[in-house]
Amino acid sequence: QVQLVESGGGLVQPGGSLRLSCAASGTTISIRTMGWYRQAPGKQRELVAVITGGGSTDYADSVKGRFTISRDNAKNTVYLQMNSLKPEDTAVYYCNTKILLRTFWGQGTQVTVSS
């Protein structure tokens, strides 16, 4: 049973930072492509960042230079470091992976950027 559990969200002022964590169980993240997505109210879920099993990363244009995805294989955990946060980054952030034909999601963690 694959489970993804996100944590680290919260309320932060514009320009601030947060680090999200996604703890995985039932699979080994070092061989998986892991992604962070977000969904703002009234909007579609969108890809924010992805890290492949080989360690390659890619980012949405809107977060390039501000967000960094990384992983700790020993902890089986993926991180999303978010710096220079903007109000438009406000959303529920989800961790994701795909195994064969199945897609797995965490429960999400709320990030609110507001003064």
Side-chain angles (χ1 to χ4, degrees):
Q1 182 82 359
V2 176
Q3 287 192 318
L4 304 173
V5 179
E6 301 96 334
S7 61
L11 173 64
V12 62
Q13 292 187 341
S17 298
L18 282 175
R19 189 178 79 156
L20 306 183
S21 299
C22 171
S25 60
T27 189
T28 302
I29 65 165
S30 62
I31 62 171
R32 303 290 177 203
T33 294
M34 304 294 297
W36 281 100
Y37 287 72
R38 67 185 180 187
Q39 188 166 19
K43 295 187 176 181
Q44 289 189 333
R45 194 170 295 190
E46 63 176 357
L47 178 64
V48 175
V50 63
I51 184 167
T52 70
S56 299
T57 59
D58 200 9
Y59 299 90
D61 287 343
S62 59
V63 307
K64 280 181 181 177
R66 300 188 298 122
F67 290 12
T68 303
I69 189 170
S70 63
R71 67 181 183 218
D72 184 332
N73 293 337
K75 295 182 178 180
N76 217 33
T77 299
V78 179
Y79 302 100
L80 186 67
Q81 178 67 42
M82 307 186 294
N83 299 327
S84 302
L85 282 161
K86 305 175 181 180
E88 51 263 43
D89 295 318
T90 295
V92 178
Y93 284 71
Y94 299 90
C95 184
N96 159 284
T97 192
K98 296 178 183 177
I99 301 173
L100 298 178
L101 299 179
R102 293 190 63 184
T103 300
F104 298 89
W105 296 93
Q107 83 288 351
T109 186
Q110 175 71 49
V111 172
T112 302
V113 184
S114 174
S115 55

